[in-house]
Amino acid sequence: MSIALIHDYLVQLGGAEKVLLSLGRVFPNSPIFVMLHDREKIGSIFPPQKIYSSWLQKMPFAKSHYQWYLTLMPKAASSHQLDSYNIIVSSASSFAKNIKKNKDAVHFCYCHTPTRYLWHDHLSYVEDLNYPFWVKKLIPLFLPRLRHLDLVSARQVDYFIANSKTVQERIQKYYGRDSVVIYPPVATHDFEPSEKIDNYFLAGGRLVAYKKYDLTIKTFNKLGIKLKIFGTGPEKKRLQKMAYKNIKFLGAVDDSAKNELYRHCLAYIHPQLEDFGITAVEAMAAGRPVIAFGAGGALETIIPGKTGEFFPEQTWEALAYQILHFQPEKYNSVFIKNHAEKFSTERFETEIKNYIYSVAQI
């Protein structure tokens, strides 16, 4: 059996790319087809000889401003030459699933979410773009056509795999398709609990609008409690201007430093609506509880009273109430760590391999 892996674009290292890394280990001889590949940002984490980019790679500023080519992405994704492959596994949060295959091939789509900027979060997507105001006003005019193409490509997928029950519901709602749930891989073994807990709360990840860091900062501004934030992104400067002196921005941190931040914090703050929420699971893998907005993937990973707490609405008052009533001494770091192991990389790779091999009868 010849197997091809498809991914949207390799221009950053996030949760979707960690899924692709695991798929590469499960199917080690498979090439990886992407619309774009930025080797400077990705480094050598993926073998370059295995990566095949589309013609979009040659467009001006494509790697640094790939959002400019939004309307060309469906055609770029469909340009991959896949006729010789029997099994195609796409890792998709946008148009990776918009591929052309031979009639006997089987297409499995691991769906991180139905294309966010087309269906359930298009306002945040446009807000995050570093475009002039008038360009942002034009973008919505193209979305109906792209939404139609996305729906057509979804109908051509043979089997959908959702990364959470939240995404499973969206796949059914927007695409009218059934799916199975296989939670994404989290490198839980990279994190270890500590007996020493410091006097700060923690937040972090990609600093983008939908992750609601502004809500977290507003809350901690009001409370005057220490907060550390790791990560970079388009929202960083705006957030820094908002923050008082009790809030410290750490920038990009490596895995070792991130582990230290997680394992010594009072709790990890997770105010956003996530499809799954890898950073929340990482914090639990380090033995620390999570204070999360009670919606989305957090409902599937956090046990209230045991591995964290929920606040009911995305307001600073609701988050502040939970922080003020938070009792760190009541949480058992060993229990939290063991719970997080249910979302390990090893578990993902076993489940995805068994499912695809079973359905494809390999």
Side-chain angles (χ1 to χ4, degrees):
M1 283 286 179
S2 54
I3 302 173
L5 303 179
I6 320 295
H7 191 67
D8 291 309
Y9 24 73
L10 284 173
V11 296
Q12 63 184 8
L13 287 175
E17 287 68 41
K18 291 176 181 178
V19 168
L20 184 62
L21 276 173
S22 279
L23 291 173
R25 285 191 291 267
V26 174
F27 308 109
N29 299 318
S30 299
I32 298 170
F33 294 87
V34 296
M35 287 184 280
L36 290 165
H37 178 206
D38 189 335
R39 293 188 181 183
E40 291 184 6
K41 289 185 178 179
I42 300 299
S44 59
I45 191 169
F46 294 96
Q49 67 275 16
K50 290 180 61 177
I51 299 174
Y52 297 87
S53 303
S54 76
W55 49 262
L56 202 58
Q57 183 86 16
K58 299 178 181 179
M59 301 296 284
F61 305 106
K63 289 187 288 185
S64 58
H65 294 84
Y66 61 93
Q67 298 98 330
W68 291 2
Y69 297 100
L70 179 64
T71 58
L72 299 180
M73 286 182 181
K75 188 171 290 291
S78 67
S79 69
H80 299 313
Q81 299 300 310
L82 304 174
D83 290 344
S84 61
Y85 297 97
N86 307 105
I87 295 176
I88 295 164
V89 183
S90 60
S91 161
S93 54
S94 66
F95 293 107
K97 61 186 175 294
N98 191 45
I99 52 95
K100 294 180 180 178
K101 62 182 183 68
N102 70 62
K103 61 183 180 63
D104 297 320
V106 182
H107 179 189
F108 296 87
C109 176
Y110 188 86
C111 185
H112 305 284
T113 185
T115 313
R116 182 183 297 279
Y117 49 81
L118 298 182
W119 300 104
H120 58 283
D121 201 22
H122 66 278
L123 294 178
S124 291
Y125 175 80
V126 173
E127 183 180 343
D128 282 344
L129 292 175
N130 187 23
Y131 287 177
F133 174 79
W134 64 272
V135 176
K136 290 184 179 183
K137 287 294 185 181
L138 288 176
I139 288 175
L141 300 177
F142 298 97
L143 296 185
R145 173 62 177 168
L146 291 173
R147 196 175 290 127
H148 170 74
L149 292 174
D150 190 53
L151 184 59
V152 170
S153 68
R155 290 171 178 165
Q156 296 171 349
V157 171
D158 294 299
Y159 299 95
F160 269 105
I161 305 168
N163 80 343
S164 65
K165 293 177 183 176
T166 299
V167 169
Q168 184 180 53
E169 291 172 0
R170 291 179 191 157
I171 292 171
Q172 181 59 240
K173 178 180 180 179
Y174 298 120
Y175 297 154
R177 297 292 305 275
D178 294 330
S179 60
V180 299
V181 174
I182 298 179
Y183 292 115
V186 183
T188 54
H189 295 339
D190 291 349
F191 303 95
E192 289 295 334
S194 171
E195 295 182 1
K196 181 179 182 293
I197 305 303
D198 292 334
N199 188 32
Y200 67 89
F201 289 84
L202 182 67
R206 288 187 299 116
L207 304 185
V208 293
Y210 87 88
K211 290 183 181 286
K212 299 292 183 181
Y213 292 103
D214 53 352
L215 170 61
T216 301
I217 289 171
K218 184 176 182 180
T219 304
F220 279 83
N221 281 347
K222 297 280 188 180
L223 297 177
I225 296 172
K226 288 184 180 180
L227 171 70
K228 294 183 180 182
I229 300 175
F230 65 84
T232 61
E235 286 280 282
K236 185 176 180 179
K237 288 184 179 179
R238 185 179 78 87
L239 296 172
Q240 285 178 316
K241 289 180 180 179
M242 288 179 56
Y244 292 173
K245 292 182 179 180
N246 57 302
I247 299 173
K248 185 176 182 181
F249 287 81
L250 305 174
V253 297
D254 60 24
D255 289 342
S256 175
K258 187 164 62 171
N259 182 24
E260 290 300 307
L261 289 167
Y262 280 137
R263 68 202 297 255
H264 296 299
C265 72
L266 288 164
Y268 182 75
I269 308 298
H270 185 81
Q272 66 265 37
L273 172 62
E274 287 280 16
D275 311 320
F276 174 72
I278 286 178
T279 54
V281 177
E282 288 179 341
M284 290 188 288
R288 300 313 302 149
V290 179
I291 298 176
F293 173 49
L299 296 175
E300 302 173 52
T301 60
I302 298 167
I303 306 173
K306 296 288 187 180
T307 71
E309 303 293 345
F310 295 126
F311 59 96
E313 56 187 21
Q314 288 174 310
T315 64
W316 77 263
E317 294 91 345
L319 177 54
Y321 179 88
Q322 195 57 258
I323 292 168
L324 290 172
H325 290 81
F326 179 70
Q327 298 175 305
E329 66 277 1
K330 86 175 197 178
Y331 299 94
N332 184 309
S333 61
V334 175
F335 178 89
I336 297 174
K337 168 71 173 177
N338 290 338
H339 170 70
E341 291 297 335
K342 297 177 182 178
F343 306 100
S344 70
T345 297
E346 293 78 8
R347 180 270 325 158
F348 169 81
E349 292 177 4
T350 298
E351 288 185 10
I352 199 89
K353 180 177 181 179
N354 289 345
Y355 175 73
I356 289 175
Y357 278 27
S358 173
V359 172
Q361 299 181 341
I362 297 176

